[in-house]
Amino acid sequence: MSFSWGLSLRRLLRRLLLNGRDIRYVKNDPVRCRVKCKGLGGECLWMAFASKVEKSGYVTLKTLKSKHTCGRNYGGRLASSNWIAKKITNNLSRGEDMKLGTVIQTIQDKYMANISVWKAYWARRKAREVVHEKAVQQYGRIRDYCVEVLRANPGLTLKQKLDRPCPTIQPRFVRMYMCLDDVKKGFLAVCRPIIGLDGCHLKGDYGQQLLVAVGRDPNDNYFSLAVATLEAETKDSWAWFLELLLQDIGDFTNKKWVFMSDQQKARY
Ligand SMILES: [Zn+2]
């Protein structure tokens, strides 16, 4: 069983981190803990000793030699992924696109701690979970999302495909298709009858894919027509997407469409 740190000792260790120091545990058992500075340039005199108060849950800091005789160390070992996550949560909630390099640079600039790419990765992942909730909770709210989108966009085409092998099992999300009514009308009114199709992988724990259909408007710009998220880019999923798209814009009996795709065995 490891030592249960008191709040004051935790703050002390964080302050050490901010000042470019690192520690090593000389003793760490259920009732006492002694730490020394792991500074550069030989043995440092800094040390702290804390122990548990008898018959209580409190921990007291009993000895603190706060004078360092070492050089600085910016290893950042004391910066845990949970601690880093708390520091970058505000940046993510402001909508900043934090790449791993940005996370590492932010912690380096603000707290003088060098952290590894893996630590930055886990910290960003934990911070994203705080901001956006866990992916599984987001999937659980798709139905609410659909109801709200339909309410705000009359005429929208929104199709879902759920998988429910038997009534005792909760339905599982498989696919979703979306085409806005105004986009549909705009495409039919002014765009050329050329549709580009492509798909990409979604970054996340559930590995879905995103399919998109785009047109070209009279200014020669891309015109997003319809999107779908689905389990994988297969012949069946492409057929499902294109059938819904043709229901929206009119099939070959009424119009002639030109499709551009990287799929060699496309059905259409
Ligand atoms: Zn030191």
Side-chain angles (χ1 to χ4, degrees), residues 16 21-22 37-40 44-46 67-71:
L16 281 173
R21 312 290 183 188
D22 201 355
C37 178
K38 198 180 168 187
L40 298 173
C44 175
L45 296 178
W46 186 96
K67 190 116 179 138
H68 284 275
T69 55
C70 63

Side-chain angles (χ1 to χ4, degrees), residues 246 250-259 268:
L246 289 173
D251 60 19
F252 296 114
T253 52
N254 303 321
K255 298 244 183 184
K256 281 192 167 45
W257 303 109
V258 176
F259 290 97
Y268 293 93

